[in-house]
Amino acid sequence: MSEHDDCEQAVGLPCAPSAGDGARPGPRGNGEARGGGHGHSHGGHSHDHARASRTRLLMALGVTAGVMAAELVAAHVSGSLSLAADAGHMAVDSSGLVVALVAAHLMTRPRDDRHTWGWARSEVLAAALQAGMLAIICAIVAWEAVWRLVLPEAVEPVPMLVVGAVGLIANGASLLILMGGRGSSLNMRAAFLEVANDALGSVAVIAAAACALATGWSGADAVASLLIAALMAPRALGLLRKSIGILMERTPHRIELAQVREHMLAVPGVTRVHDLHVTTVATGLVAVTAHVEVSPAVDAHGRDLIVHSLGECAAHHFPVEIAHSTFQLECAEHAAHEHLAH
């Protein structure tokens, strides 16, 4: 049976959902439009993830801040740009982890009349801020590294090697701490990527120190700095792009809006779909809203069944589960009275 067949046959299902289903037939409105909502509750799971994330972030923050302090001292002693670059990167990461920690706390706050989605989107703001800081530090490091290649400066490779090794061990520990939660939210993914970049930066510092010890070429330090920036920049820009896309309410990349519309039109009684929006509120929470024109022959019970069918289709027939749906059912004449900005 095809997915379209499922959508069509769902209209024949009883209006009341099963006990394990979050769907409810939509309440009837007055006049021509009748609407309904459909959702699956993720509140408890979100709070559990947020609490676990706070513990992981606190542990990673302690490790990262300690290594950052050691690298700053060693960079001053050795004159190493790559070590200073990695310390600057870790300073950004430490502030990013603080932001992520605040966001993880805000995500546990309940919804209210002022914040109808709760504070779930704070994770997206935190991820965008972390990504922006990473992009800025990349530009600064790259600029300074180019000048170091043009006007080389002497470095002390032994402190670089020692602190680089300590940083690598510490970053490895932080990665193990954050690994279990990296898929729980965009916020945690940003934190994990920052620490992963720190680990790569430590490897670059060690390589530059080893090269300077073996050959005496101080330019290896500037090359390592450029490598750190090159490793950070694509991930930072990618995360920034994704965060901005969510804030701009762009359709999730795994959802084809035309396919969603096609599935909705396959439901018997539906004649037209317009003002269709699919957006990401926060990690794991995708919502759809639409105005759905129905045939005049459909009675009140039939409209309830259509709402139920549309919600079930949204929740189960696409690569990303659309967990929250709101549909306004209306007759064809109603569209002529709407004043949509677009």
Short mmCIF file of all heavy atoms in Angstrom, two decimals, residues 135-171:
data_model
loop_
_atom_site.label_atom_id
_atom_site.label_comp_id
_atom_site.label_asym_id
_atom_site.label_seq_id
_atom_site.Cartn_x
_atom_site.Cartn_y
_atom_site.Cartn_z
N ALA A 135 33.56 31.73 13.70
CA ALA A 135 33.89 32.32 12.41
C ALA A 135 34.80 33.54 12.58
O ALA A 135 35.75 33.75 11.82
CB ALA A 135 32.61 32.70 11.66
N ILE A 136 34.52 34.37 13.59
CA ILE A 136 35.34 35.57 13.84
C ILE A 136 36.76 35.18 14.23
O ILE A 136 37.74 35.75 13.74
CB ILE A 136 34.69 36.44 14.92
CG1 ILE A 136 33.38 37.06 14.39
CG2 ILE A 136 35.64 37.54 15.38
CD1 ILE A 136 32.55 37.75 15.44
N ILE A 137 36.89 34.21 15.14
CA ILE A 137 38.22 33.81 15.58
C ILE A 137 39.01 33.19 14.43
O ILE A 137 40.24 33.34 14.34
CB ILE A 137 38.15 32.84 16.78
CG1 ILE A 137 39.44 32.89 17.60
CG2 ILE A 137 37.87 31.43 16.36
CD1 ILE A 137 39.67 34.12 18.37
N CYS A 138 38.33 32.51 13.51
CA CYS A 138 39.00 31.95 12.33
C CYS A 138 39.63 33.05 11.50
O CYS A 138 40.78 32.94 11.03
CB CYS A 138 38.01 31.17 11.47
SG CYS A 138 37.55 29.56 12.10
N ALA A 139 38.88 34.13 11.27
CA ALA A 139 39.38 35.24 10.46
C ALA A 139 40.58 35.91 11.13
O ALA A 139 41.57 36.23 10.46
CB ALA A 139 38.26 36.25 10.24
N ILE A 140 40.53 36.09 12.44
CA ILE A 140 41.63 36.74 13.16
C ILE A 140 42.89 35.89 13.09
O ILE A 140 43.99 36.39 12.83
CB ILE A 140 41.22 37.00 14.63
CG1 ILE A 140 40.09 38.03 14.69
CG2 ILE A 140 42.42 37.47 15.45
CD1 ILE A 140 39.50 38.22 16.08
N VAL A 141 42.74 34.59 13.34
CA VAL A 141 43.90 33.68 13.33
C VAL A 141 44.51 33.62 11.93
O VAL A 141 45.74 33.67 11.77
CB VAL A 141 43.47 32.28 13.80
CG1 VAL A 141 44.57 31.26 13.51
CG2 VAL A 141 43.16 32.30 15.30
N ALA A 142 43.68 33.51 10.90
CA ALA A 142 44.19 33.43 9.53
C ALA A 142 44.97 34.69 9.16
O ALA A 142 46.04 34.62 8.54
CB ALA A 142 43.04 33.20 8.56
N TRP A 143 44.45 35.85 9.53
CA TRP A 143 45.12 37.12 9.23
C TRP A 143 46.49 37.18 9.90
O TRP A 143 47.50 37.52 9.28
CB TRP A 143 44.24 38.27 9.70
CG TRP A 143 44.86 39.63 9.54
CD1 TRP A 143 45.55 40.33 10.48
CD2 TRP A 143 44.85 40.44 8.36
NE1 TRP A 143 45.97 41.53 9.99
CE2 TRP A 143 45.55 41.63 8.67
CE3 TRP A 143 44.31 40.30 7.09
CZ2 TRP A 143 45.73 42.65 7.76
CZ3 TRP A 143 44.48 41.33 6.18
CH2 TRP A 143 45.19 42.48 6.50
N GLU A 144 46.54 36.83 11.18
CA GLU A 144 47.80 36.89 11.92
C GLU A 144 48.79 35.85 11.38
O GLU A 144 50.00 36.11 11.31
CB GLU A 144 47.53 36.65 13.41
CG GLU A 144 48.75 36.77 14.30
CD GLU A 144 49.34 38.17 14.33
OE1 GLU A 144 48.60 39.14 14.04
OE2 GLU A 144 50.53 38.30 14.65
N ALA A 145 48.29 34.68 10.98
CA ALA A 145 49.17 33.63 10.47
C ALA A 145 49.84 34.06 9.16
O ALA A 145 51.02 33.78 8.94
CB ALA A 145 48.38 32.35 10.26
N VAL A 146 49.09 34.74 8.31
CA VAL A 146 49.66 35.22 7.05
C VAL A 146 50.79 36.21 7.33
O VAL A 146 51.87 36.15 6.70
CB VAL A 146 48.57 35.86 6.16
CG1 VAL A 146 49.20 36.57 4.98
CG2 VAL A 146 47.60 34.79 5.68
N TRP A 147 50.59 37.10 8.29
CA TRP A 147 51.64 38.05 8.64
C TRP A 147 52.86 37.33 9.22
O TRP A 147 54.00 37.75 8.99
CB TRP A 147 51.11 39.08 9.65
CG TRP A 147 50.41 40.23 8.99
CD1 TRP A 147 49.09 40.48 9.00
CD2 TRP A 147 51.02 41.26 8.22
NE1 TRP A 147 48.80 41.61 8.27
CE2 TRP A 147 49.98 42.12 7.78
CE3 TRP A 147 52.33 41.55 7.84
CZ2 TRP A 147 50.21 43.24 7.00
CZ3 TRP A 147 52.57 42.67 7.06
CH2 TRP A 147 51.52 43.50 6.64
N ARG A 148 52.63 36.28 9.99
CA ARG A 148 53.76 35.51 10.54
C ARG A 148 54.55 34.81 9.44
O ARG A 148 55.75 34.59 9.59
CB ARG A 148 53.23 34.47 11.54
CG ARG A 148 52.79 35.03 12.87
CD ARG A 148 53.98 35.46 13.73
NE ARG A 148 53.56 35.92 15.04
CZ ARG A 148 53.61 35.19 16.14
NH1 ARG A 148 54.06 33.94 16.08
NH2 ARG A 148 53.22 35.69 17.30
N LEU A 149 53.88 34.42 8.35
CA LEU A 149 54.60 33.81 7.23
C LEU A 149 55.44 34.85 6.50
O LEU A 149 56.55 34.56 6.02
CB LEU A 149 53.61 33.16 6.26
CG LEU A 149 53.00 31.83 6.70
CD1 LEU A 149 51.92 31.38 5.73
CD2 LEU A 149 54.08 30.74 6.82
N VAL A 150 54.91 36.07 6.41
CA VAL A 150 55.65 37.15 5.74
C VAL A 150 56.80 37.64 6.62
O VAL A 150 57.93 37.86 6.14
CB VAL A 150 54.70 38.33 5.41
CG1 VAL A 150 55.49 39.50 4.82
CG2 VAL A 150 53.63 37.87 4.44
N LEU A 151 56.54 37.81 7.91
CA LEU A 151 57.54 38.27 8.87
C LEU A 151 57.67 37.24 10.00
O LEU A 151 57.02 37.35 11.04
CB LEU A 151 57.14 39.63 9.45
CG LEU A 151 56.96 40.78 8.44
CD1 LEU A 151 56.35 41.99 9.12
CD2 LEU A 151 58.30 41.13 7.79
N PRO A 152 58.47 36.20 9.79
CA PRO A 152 58.58 35.10 10.77
C PRO A 152 59.08 35.60 12.13
O PRO A 152 59.87 36.54 12.22
CB PRO A 152 59.59 34.14 10.13
CG PRO A 152 59.60 34.51 8.67
CD PRO A 152 59.33 35.98 8.62
N GLU A 153 58.60 34.95 13.18
CA GLU A 153 59.03 35.22 14.54
C GLU A 153 59.50 33.93 15.18
O GLU A 153 58.92 32.86 14.93
CB GLU A 153 57.90 35.85 15.36
CG GLU A 153 57.46 37.22 14.87
CD GLU A 153 56.40 37.83 15.76
OE1 GLU A 153 56.23 37.35 16.91
OE2 GLU A 153 55.72 38.78 15.33
N ALA A 154 60.50 34.03 16.02
CA ALA A 154 61.04 32.84 16.68
C ALA A 154 60.04 32.29 17.69
O ALA A 154 59.30 33.05 18.34
CB ALA A 154 62.35 33.18 17.37
N VAL A 155 60.01 30.98 17.83
CA VAL A 155 59.12 30.33 18.80
C VAL A 155 59.92 29.34 19.63
O VAL A 155 60.99 28.88 19.22
CB VAL A 155 57.95 29.59 18.09
CG1 VAL A 155 57.06 30.56 17.34
CG2 VAL A 155 58.46 28.51 17.16
N GLU A 156 59.38 29.01 20.81
CA GLU A 156 59.98 27.99 21.67
C GLU A 156 59.16 26.71 21.54
O GLU A 156 58.04 26.63 22.06
CB GLU A 156 59.99 28.47 23.13
CG GLU A 156 60.87 29.66 23.39
CD GLU A 156 62.35 29.32 23.24
OE1 GLU A 156 62.70 28.13 23.39
OE2 GLU A 156 63.14 30.23 22.96
N PRO A 157 59.68 25.70 20.83
CA PRO A 157 58.86 24.53 20.52
C PRO A 157 58.56 23.61 21.70
O PRO A 157 57.54 22.93 21.71
CB PRO A 157 59.69 23.80 19.46
CG PRO A 157 61.09 24.25 19.68
CD PRO A 157 60.99 25.66 20.18
N VAL A 158 59.44 23.56 22.70
CA VAL A 158 59.23 22.61 23.80
C VAL A 158 57.96 22.92 24.59
O VAL A 158 57.12 22.02 24.82
CB VAL A 158 60.46 22.56 24.73
CG1 VAL A 158 60.17 21.65 25.94
CG2 VAL A 158 61.68 22.03 23.96
N PRO A 159 57.74 24.18 25.06
CA PRO A 159 56.47 24.46 25.73
C PRO A 159 55.26 24.21 24.83
O PRO A 159 54.21 23.74 25.31
CB PRO A 159 56.58 25.95 26.08
CG PRO A 159 58.03 26.24 26.11
CD PRO A 159 58.63 25.35 25.06
N MET A 160 55.41 24.50 23.53
CA MET A 160 54.32 24.21 22.59
C MET A 160 53.97 22.73 22.61
O MET A 160 52.80 22.34 22.66
CB MET A 160 54.72 24.60 21.16
CG MET A 160 54.77 26.08 20.87
SD MET A 160 55.42 26.39 19.21
CE MET A 160 54.23 25.47 18.20
N LEU A 161 55.01 21.88 22.54
CA LEU A 161 54.80 20.43 22.47
C LEU A 161 54.14 19.90 23.73
O LEU A 161 53.19 19.11 23.67
CB LEU A 161 56.15 19.74 22.25
CG LEU A 161 56.11 18.25 21.97
CD1 LEU A 161 55.33 17.95 20.70
CD2 LEU A 161 57.53 17.70 21.87
N VAL A 162 54.62 20.37 24.89
CA VAL A 162 54.09 19.88 26.16
C VAL A 162 52.63 20.28 26.33
O VAL A 162 51.75 19.45 26.61
CB VAL A 162 54.94 20.41 27.33
CG1 VAL A 162 54.27 20.07 28.67
CG2 VAL A 162 56.34 19.84 27.28
N VAL A 163 52.34 21.57 26.14
CA VAL A 163 50.98 22.05 26.36
C VAL A 163 50.05 21.53 25.26
O VAL A 163 48.87 21.24 25.52
CB VAL A 163 50.95 23.60 26.40
CG1 VAL A 163 49.52 24.11 26.55
CG2 VAL A 163 51.81 24.10 27.54
N GLY A 164 50.55 21.38 24.03
CA GLY A 164 49.75 20.79 22.96
C GLY A 164 49.31 19.38 23.30
O GLY A 164 48.16 18.99 23.07
N ALA A 165 50.23 18.61 23.88
CA ALA A 165 49.90 17.23 24.27
C ALA A 165 48.88 17.20 25.40
O ALA A 165 47.93 16.41 25.39
CB ALA A 165 51.18 16.49 24.69
N VAL A 166 49.08 18.10 26.39
CA VAL A 166 48.11 18.18 27.49
C VAL A 166 46.74 18.59 26.97
O VAL A 166 45.70 18.03 27.37
CB VAL A 166 48.60 19.19 28.55
CG1 VAL A 166 47.51 19.44 29.60
CG2 VAL A 166 49.86 18.68 29.23
N GLY A 167 46.72 19.55 26.04
CA GLY A 167 45.45 19.99 25.45
C GLY A 167 44.75 18.88 24.70
O GLY A 167 43.52 18.75 24.78
N LEU A 168 45.52 18.08 23.98
CA LEU A 168 44.92 16.98 23.23
C LEU A 168 44.27 15.96 24.16
O LEU A 168 43.15 15.48 23.91
CB LEU A 168 45.98 16.30 22.36
CG LEU A 168 45.50 15.15 21.49
CD1 LEU A 168 44.42 15.62 20.52
CD2 LEU A 168 46.67 14.53 20.72
N ILE A 169 44.96 15.64 25.26
CA ILE A 169 44.39 14.69 26.23
C ILE A 169 43.11 15.26 26.85
O ILE A 169 42.09 14.56 26.98
CB ILE A 169 45.43 14.38 27.33
CG1 ILE A 169 46.63 13.62 26.72
CG2 ILE A 169 44.80 13.57 28.46
CD1 ILE A 169 47.79 13.48 27.67
N ALA A 170 43.16 16.54 27.23
CA ALA A 170 42.00 17.16 27.85
C ALA A 170 40.82 17.25 26.88
O ALA A 170 39.67 16.98 27.25
CB ALA A 170 42.36 18.56 28.35
N ASN A 171 41.13 17.61 25.63
CA ASN A 171 40.06 17.69 24.64
C ASN A 171 39.46 16.32 24.36
O ASN A 171 38.26 16.20 24.12
CB ASN A 171 40.59 18.30 23.34
CG ASN A 171 40.83 19.79 23.45
OD1 ASN A 171 40.06 20.50 24.08
ND2 ASN A 171 41.91 20.27 22.85
#
